[in-house]
Amino acid sequence: MAATSRGITKSLLPSAKSRATIAKRLAAVTGAMTTATIAEMESRHPWFSQLGAEPRSWITLVARAGIDGFVRWFSDPDPDGPSTSEVFGSAPREMARKISLSQTVELVRTTIEVVESQIDEVMPKGDRPILHAAIDQYSREVAFAAAEIYARAAELRGSWDARLEALVVDAVLRGETDETVLSRASTLGWRSTSAVVVVVGTAPEADQAHALETIRAIAARAKVDVLGAVQGDRMVVVLGGPTLADAQEAVAVVAGFSTQFGPGPVVVGPPVEHLMEAATSTRAALSGFRAATAWPEAPRPVGSDDLLPERALSGDGHARRTLARDIYDPLVAAGSGLLETLVTFIDQGSSVEAASRALFVHANTVRYRLRRIHEVTGYSPTDPRDVYALRLALTLGRLIRPTL
């Protein structure tokens, strides 16, 4: 006698000849069982009725393959363990994308319940105990096979998504964001239509995929979209969401996952309005990342605009023009002695009293003008770091705009 199969006891297991006879009677009603299964799916599961004709045909194919496979397995002279690859092998690979794992479980459960019901209705009483025990064993194997198929599909999708995401990030970095790139980003879950920033930092030495997944989880809690990829020794993350429109808020969001980067600076580019414009944020972030070594005390993360002096000195023309445009030009336009006061204040070692004597004005006038300089430029003449940027902006402004 053949070895027993899990779920079927020796006392219930008939001879191979008896099983073949039962299987022959069972095979005669498999068509009716398949029809009953599909009818039950339609009445029990609303999602089934909403499927198109092609996915419905896949399910019919799988249900029929499952029932036929059970008959073949049961009639096998040595039922050591059912082979269920033929059940799902009959369906196209796209089925795993159109029909979820939970829906597949519902399909398996409904099919088994219908088969069990049909066994009680159409099979002789003597056949029913062994068939019920056999279908119980077979259904477990089918369920395991379904889980394995979806696990493999998820793994393949993960690998494909990672490659696609790397291509999208590379296009963003190169400033080649077109409709095709936007479509690919949408496929990866990108929904943001406002406020985009690019973040650049050192790639972690180990488990880079886990670092990116952690970043996605943290960003999701902040309601921010994420695209990320590792490029050589650096990791690039593109963020999107309305909260990022404020540069300080963007840095605060990045602070929540900055530990996922490797050692070294983490630079946040300035916010732009759309993914199509992300090249501007990318350029600033990459420039800041290269220049950050000149400011080892910089916070982590740091905004690229906070690195304007270092970027300007490292040869970034955009940084030079930004310093001249945002600091020097407004001071010239404001008049009221602000530019002269700033130059004198810095030259006098940031001493209000010394500056007031050199300018022949009251010390309070100097203090008022210093406050106005802060209001006009956003940089405080009394802050050492800001003074560094102000001094460099004055020099660059005179070089770039000598006629002002």
Side-chain angles (χ1 to χ4, degrees), residues 7 30 90-91 116 170 180 194 236 256 292 321 323 337 371 377 384 399 402:
T30 54
S90 61
E116 288 182 329
D170 184 63
T180 300
S194 63
V236 180
R321 289 187 290 273
L323 284 170
R371 288 195 298 270
T377 66
L399 290 171

Side-chain angles (χ1 to χ4, degrees), residues 17-347:
K17 183 177 180 181
S18 297
R19 289 199 310 278
T21 302
I22 296 173
K24 186 176 181 180
R25 290 194 290 266
L26 186 63
V29 296
T30 54
M33 287 183 174
T34 302
T35 301
T37 297
I38 300 304
E40 185 66 18
M41 290 289 293
E42 290 179 342
S43 64
R44 184 183 298 187
H45 305 300
W47 60 264
F48 181 81
S49 301
Q50 297 171 2
L51 292 174
E54 189 174 40
R56 286 165 63 94
S57 69
W58 296 342
I59 291 179
T60 301
L61 194 66
V62 170
R64 180 59 186 260
I67 295 172
D68 289 346
F70 170 64
V71 175
R72 285 192 294 272
W73 168 73
F74 182 78
S75 62
D76 193 313
D78 184 17
D80 186 43
S83 175
T84 55
S85 59
E86 59 186 4
V87 176
F88 294 101
S90 61
R93 185 174 299 177
E94 290 82 359
M95 180 175 169
R97 296 188 176 186
K98 294 288 186 180
I99 303 170
S100 68
L101 176 58
S102 63
Q103 291 171 336
T104 303
V105 171
E106 290 177 348
L107 162 64
V108 172
R109 182 183 296 117
T110 302
T111 302
I112 297 306
E113 290 177 357
V114 170
V115 170
E116 288 182 329
S117 175
Q118 290 289 305
I119 287 173
D120 289 336
E121 293 180 9
V122 301
M123 298 300 291
K125 289 185 178 180
D127 296 346
R128 295 173 190 175
I130 181 61
L131 286 175
H132 280 303
I135 196 64
D136 179 67
Q137 169 65 20
Y138 188 76
S139 66
R140 287 199 297 270
E141 297 294 338
V142 170
F144 288 137
E148 183 180 356
I149 287 171
Y150 276 84
R152 286 200 303 267
E155 184 177 356
L156 290 173
R157 281 198 302 273
S159 299
W160 168 249
D161 287 351
R163 289 192 292 271
L164 181 61
E165 190 168 12
L167 290 173
V168 171
V169 172
D170 184 63
V172 170
L173 293 184
R174 289 186 282 108
E176 300 176 358
T177 308
D178 54 17
E179 292 298 331
T180 300
V181 173
L182 292 179
S183 176
R184 290 173 175 173
S186 178
T187 301
L188 294 166
W190 184 271
R191 299 292 179 265
S192 178
T193 58
S194 63
V196 175
V197 299
V198 176
V199 186
V200 179
T202 305
E205 295 182 359
D207 212 351
Q208 297 169 345
H210 180 265
L212 285 171
E213 286 303 317
T214 302
I215 289 173
R216 290 189 183 93
I218 295 173
R221 291 196 291 270
K223 298 181 179 179
V224 171
D225 292 340
V226 176
L227 294 170
V230 173
Q231 297 189 328
D233 61 351
R234 70 191 181 196
M235 186 161 68
V236 180
V237 176
V238 185
L239 304 176
T243 59
L244 304 175
D246 180 81
Q248 292 183 346
E249 182 64 26
V251 172
V253 170
V254 176
F257 57 74
S258 59
T259 56
Q260 299 304 313
F261 288 85
V266 176
V267 182
V268 185
V272 295
E273 293 185 358
H274 195 271
L275 191 61
M276 295 281 282
E277 304 169 5
T280 301
S281 186
T282 298
R283 182 172 54 243
L286 289 173
S287 172
F289 182 70
R290 289 190 294 267
T293 54
W295 187 19
E297 301 82 14
R300 189 176 189 267
V302 61
S304 60
D305 284 354
D306 293 331
L307 289 161
L308 281 172
E310 288 76 17
R311 291 168 53 196
L313 291 173
S314 69
D316 185 344
H318 292 281
R320 292 172 179 166
R321 289 187 290 273
T322 298
L323 284 170
R325 182 189 67 237
D326 294 350
I327 297 178
Y328 183 75
D329 292 358
L331 287 175
V332 173
S336 303
L338 296 187
L339 184 61
E340 181 186 10
T341 299
L342 176 60
V343 172
T344 303
F345 179 72
I346 295 175
D347 287 346

